[in-house]
């Protein structure tokens, strides 16, 4: 029955949720290290992702949203989708001479459009009859938007300051 399947999902996520989330984060970090092949680039991208995750979890706590079994699954999804923005922006910086502002102008519109389509997909869950699915939709949307904001604003600002500091 539907209730039995749902109860079994609850048990599985409660017992394996943290391990799956930690494993997903570890895998994302490994892929970033392999993709960028530079420690500085990896730190910039991973810091951007973690900033988005902190904003997501902190915002959820501030709004009183409890972390339940289903919206906990939104975190590994946020890792996978959210890291993409930092990677794309950092990669674009290599092609525009290391200028963070030029990179945002070059790829920012595509990043916003990509995020928008994902947010719309997650937004459909908000009208679900199951409260856990609604919560998942809200957390997933928040994770998506938080990672976009950190990639579009935090990362370029930090890289600009580092670039300015090393030049001066």
């Amino acid at each position: 029955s539907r209730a039995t399947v749902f109860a079994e999902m609850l048990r599985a996520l409660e017992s394996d949720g943290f391990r799956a989330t930690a494993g997903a984060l570890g895998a994302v970090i490994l892929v970033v290290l392999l993709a960028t092949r530079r420690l500085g680039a990896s730190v910039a991208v991973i810091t951007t992702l973690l900033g988005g995750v902190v904003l997501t979890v902190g915002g959820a706590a501030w709004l009183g949203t409890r972390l339940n079994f289903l919206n906990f699954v939104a975190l590994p999804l946020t890792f996978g989708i959210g890291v993409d923005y930092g990677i794309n922006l950092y990669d674009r910086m290599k092609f525009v001479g290391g200028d963070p502002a030029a990179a945002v102008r070059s790829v920012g519109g595509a990043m916003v459009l990509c995020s928008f389509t994902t947010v719309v997909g997650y937004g459909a869950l908000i009208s679900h009859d199951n409260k856990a699915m609604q919560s998942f939709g809200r957390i997933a949307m928040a994770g998506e938007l938080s990672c976009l904001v950190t990639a579009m604003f935090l990362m370029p600002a930090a890289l600009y300051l580092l670039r300015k500091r090393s030049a001066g």
Side-chain angles (χ1 to χ4, degrees), residues 11 24-25 29 33 74 77 86 105 113 148:
R11 277 192 289 278
L25 181 59
I29 290 171
L33 288 167
L77 292 173
R105 283 191 303 273
L113 181 60
L148 178 67

Side-chain angles (χ1 to χ4, degrees), residues 125-142:
L125 297 173
I126 292 175
S127 63
H128 199 279
D129 62 341
N130 183 302
K131 296 288 186 193
M133 290 298 285
Q134 292 173 9
S135 178
F136 171 77
R138 283 192 297 276
I139 295 290
M141 286 173 57

